[in-house]
């Protein structure tokens, strides 16, 4: 297997190094983000989906935030880990981040988009995943990345 696939125990390894309490998401402090990421990583399908729904509202549905920028690398880890039960949803959240902005905070928007764009190779590898739902979500994300690369925010 390629280096894209994370081993259990290495997923979310660096999450404790982020100063989450200093970051903001759509509803305030991002202090709870590590716990939500853990539920996505190690929860069963229902728990993972519920946690992913919460996280989607916090970091991507309305706009992107500094917590979004910090969360994206961990979303890529989750998307690449076969142990995660809701990988297709994680991939769709990465696409949502790419599609949303924060006009009052263009630097944050640029950083969030670049965090997604930087792992296009991972998305491309996921288009060959064993799970057809993951493959389909990855194909959609690759298409979104490719179309986004020509947009003005990437050339700032």
């Amino acid at each position: 297997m390629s280096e894209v696939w994370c081993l259990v125990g290495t997923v979310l390894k660096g999450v404790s190094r982020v100063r989450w309490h200093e970051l903001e998401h759509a509803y305030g402090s991002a202090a709870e983000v590590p716990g939500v990421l853990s539920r996505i990583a190690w929860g069963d399908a229902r728990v993972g989906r519920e946690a992913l729904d919460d996280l989607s509202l916090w970091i991507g549905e309305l706009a992107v935030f500094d917590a979004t920028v910090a969360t994206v690398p961990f979303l890529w880890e989750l998307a690449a880990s076969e142990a995660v039960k809701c990988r297709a949803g994680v991939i769709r959240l990465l696409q949502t981040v790419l599609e949303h902005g924060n006009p009052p905070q263009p630097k944050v928007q640029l950083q969030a988009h670049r965090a997604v764009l930087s792992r296009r190779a991972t998305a491309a590898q996921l288009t060959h995943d064993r799970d057809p739902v993951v493959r389909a979500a990855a194909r959609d994300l690759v298409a979104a990345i490719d179309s986004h690369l020509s947009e003005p925010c990437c050339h700032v």
Side-chain angles (χ1 to χ4, degrees):
M1 284 273 156
S2 146
E3 72 237 19
V4 170
W5 307 110
C6 299
L7 301 172
V8 174
T10 62
V11 175
L12 305 181
K13 185 176 180 181
V15 78
S16 64
R17 289 190 287 252
V18 177
R19 299 173 69 92
W20 296 101
H21 64 283
E22 295 176 4
L23 302 176
E24 297 283 321
H25 59 57
Y27 299 100
S29 171
E32 293 180 37
V33 169
V36 173
L37 288 169
S38 293
R39 290 197 322 268
I40 294 167
W42 294 292
D44 62 24
R46 182 189 57 78
V47 168
R49 267 192 321 274
E50 289 172 358
L52 187 59
D53 288 346
D54 289 342
L55 189 62
S56 295
L57 289 173
W58 294 354
I59 68 158
E61 291 287 322
L62 304 173
V64 295
F65 303 88
D66 57 359
T68 309
V69 176
T71 304
V72 167
F74 300 108
L75 293 176
W76 278 116
E77 288 181 25
L78 295 171
S81 174
E82 291 182 352
V84 174
K85 307 291 188 247
C86 55
R87 290 188 306 140
V90 171
I91 294 166
R92 285 190 291 272
L93 177 53
L94 286 164
Q95 184 171 345
T96 297
V97 167
L98 190 60
E99 293 171 348
H100 287 87
N102 193 332
Q105 297 183 8
K107 284 186 177 180
V108 170
Q109 176 178 323
L110 179 63
Q111 291 172 334
H113 289 187
R114 285 186 174 165
V116 175
L117 296 169
S118 70
R119 298 285 299 273
R120 186 201 181 281
T122 302
Q125 283 191 284
L126 290 169
T127 65
H128 303 290
D129 194 85
R130 287 186 285 194
D131 183 334
V133 180
V134 169
R135 284 194 311 265
R139 281 192 302 270
D140 290 344
L141 178 55
V142 167
I145 288 172
D146 289 348
S147 69
H148 194 83
L149 285 172
S150 64
E151 293 185 17
C153 90
C154 300
H155 303 289
V156 175

